Amino acid sequence: MKTAATRDTPEEVRTRLRAARSVFVLTGAGVSAESGVPTFRGGGGAAVWKGMPFYEISSAGMVERDLPEVWAWFDYRRGVLKTLRPNPAHATLARWQDRFAEFTLATQNVDGLHRAAGTREVLELHGNVWIARCMSCRARADVRELNDEERPPACPDCGSPMRPDVVLFGEVLPAGVFERAAARAAACEVCLIVGTSALVYPAAGLPELAKQMGAFLVEVNPERTHLSALCDVSIKGRAGEILPRLDD
Ligand code: BV8
């Protein structure tokens, strides 16, 4: 009789993971959902700011048009995040970093929860909401060490305005980060896609590249996604439940 654990985590996935020397994981907002972080497209209106959908307030154009408003949006997001903690999905992935000869975790999330869970090397494809970047000299600073009364904060080095060090819609990803993720995705034997609707590029192209190069694709998501048809196995469920079972 199949237990819930084995039914939700097909034996082939366990077998492939046991035998794998290189594993590539791409996570999205769904991996943080059980920590209480609202997803972007999960409804509930969390991804709207003063009537603007998140792809408008989180856009390059908005930084030019109204940087203080962009800071207000990210200050709000940090306010939500500061009481939240990693969940068992983050903890499982942190354990896996020493489990495989080559383990790569690339995330679209900006919440910092993978590092908080102990993952030492995280490819943060879309930046990090806890970091500010100077718009002139590009110096970076932890937002929590800046004057939170001053918006936009002034760069401690050159005094120019700073912005959130987050990749907004219409902006290129941090130099080198995407390229490293692509090289690891192309070389992996197992590619695990956790909690993403796979709609945002170029991040969503990473599993497609892994597949082209012969990787075994596994998706963990309560819903079917844009990538489900490409996956060898789609495990329907929540990351905080499924990943610890895969860990067994
Ligand atoms: C780029 C940071 C080159 C900000 C984010 C026009 C002009 C310019 C570019 C474009 C354009 N048209 C299209 C593009 C490309 C654009 C894009 O892909 N748009 C899409 C929407 C069509 N991409 C870009 O702009 C990228 N840059 O292309 O540069 C360029 C440059 C200039 C000119 C031309 C080209 C930059 C994209 C980065 C944007 N920044 N975040 C912020 O956080 O505010 S993206 C944002 O979406 C987040 O990072 C998020 O992670 C990401 C993807 O969303 P998901 O993580 O998948 O979250 P979502 O809510 O969608 O889904 C959650 C999933 O979890 C669901 O499937 C759900 O079922 C599941 N789930 C729920 N609960 C659980 C769960 N799963 C498991 N367990 C659970 N418990």
Side-chain angles (χ1 to χ4, degrees), residues 139-164:
R140 285 179 167 80
D142 187 311
V143 175
R144 292 161 288 200
E145 287 157 18
L146 298 172
N147 173 2
D148 58 9
E149 298 297 313
E150 187 185 40
R151 289 292 182 259
C155 171
D157 294 1
C158 77
S160 300
M162 301 187 89
R163 52 161 289 165

Side-chain angles (χ1 to χ4, degrees), residues 119-193:
T119 302
R120 295 184 298 274
E121 189 190 342
V122 184
L123 296 178
E124 291 181 317
L125 301 170
H126 296 159
N128 187 309
V129 76
W130 300 105
I131 306 293
R133 184 179 80 236
C134 176
M135 295 173 74
S136 299
C137 72
R138 299 183 66 81
R140 285 179 167 80
D142 187 311
V143 175
R144 292 161 288 200
E145 287 157 18
L146 298 172
N147 173 2
D148 58 9
E149 298 297 313
E150 187 185 40
R151 289 292 182 259
C155 171
D157 294 1
C158 77
S160 300
M162 301 187 89
R163 52 161 289 165
D165 193 23
V166 169
V167 180
L168 303 178
F169 285 99
E171 294 184 327
V172 292
L173 276 59
V177 178
F178 180 74
E179 289 71 15
R180 275 176 57 212
R184 296 290 185 85
C188 75
E189 290 163 276
V190 177
C191 173
L192 191 65
I193 307 138

